[in-house]
């Protein structure tokens, strides 16, 4: 198949996919997940950020930026 018919087929498939996406109104779509809400008391914890600075966990959670916390523990005596 030459490149021109392939381009036409690809374009048609793209249009069909777009039409299918638009055809289902957003109000009728099932939500992909449900968001749970819980009330928790955040303990007073001081963390060390990527710059080596001490930061209160509660201050991080009150900001408008996403927060990613990763706890790593390793006891390698040689290369892990």
């Amino acid at each position: 198949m030459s490149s021109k018919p392939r381009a036409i087929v690809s374009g048609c498939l793209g249009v069909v996919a777009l039409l299918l996406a638009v055809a289902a109104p957003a109000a009728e779509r099932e939500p992909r997940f449900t968001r749970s809400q819980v009330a928790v008391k955040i303990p007073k914890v001081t963390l060390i950020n990527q710059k080596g600075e001490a930061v209160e966990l509660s201050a991080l959670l009150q900001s408008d930026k996403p927060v990613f916390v990763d706890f790593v523990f390793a006891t390698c005596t040689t290369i892990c």
Side-chain angles (χ1 to χ4, degrees):
M1 184 181 273
S2 70
S3 63
K4 189 172 183 179
R6 282 187 187 161
I8 292 171
V9 170
S10 295
C12 289
L13 289 175
V15 169
V16 169
L18 179 63
L19 289 174
L20 288 174
V22 173
E28 294 179 14
R29 292 186 195 143
E30 296 268 338
R32 292 178 27 193
F33 61 89
T34 56
R35 184 177 302 270
S36 61
Q37 293 186 9
V38 294
V40 295
K41 182 178 179 185
I42 305 299
K44 184 175 178 168
V45 176
T46 302
L47 304 171
I48 305 299
N49 68 11
Q50 67 273 19
K51 297 176 186 175
E53 303 165 337
V55 181
E56 293 291 326
L57 177 59
S58 59
L60 287 174
L61 296 176
Q62 292 173 4
S63 73
D64 61 344
K65 297 179 181 178
V67 177
F68 179 82
V69 180
D70 187 17
F71 297 95
V72 179
F73 177 77
T75 57
C76 299
T77 56
T78 62
I79 297 174
C80 292

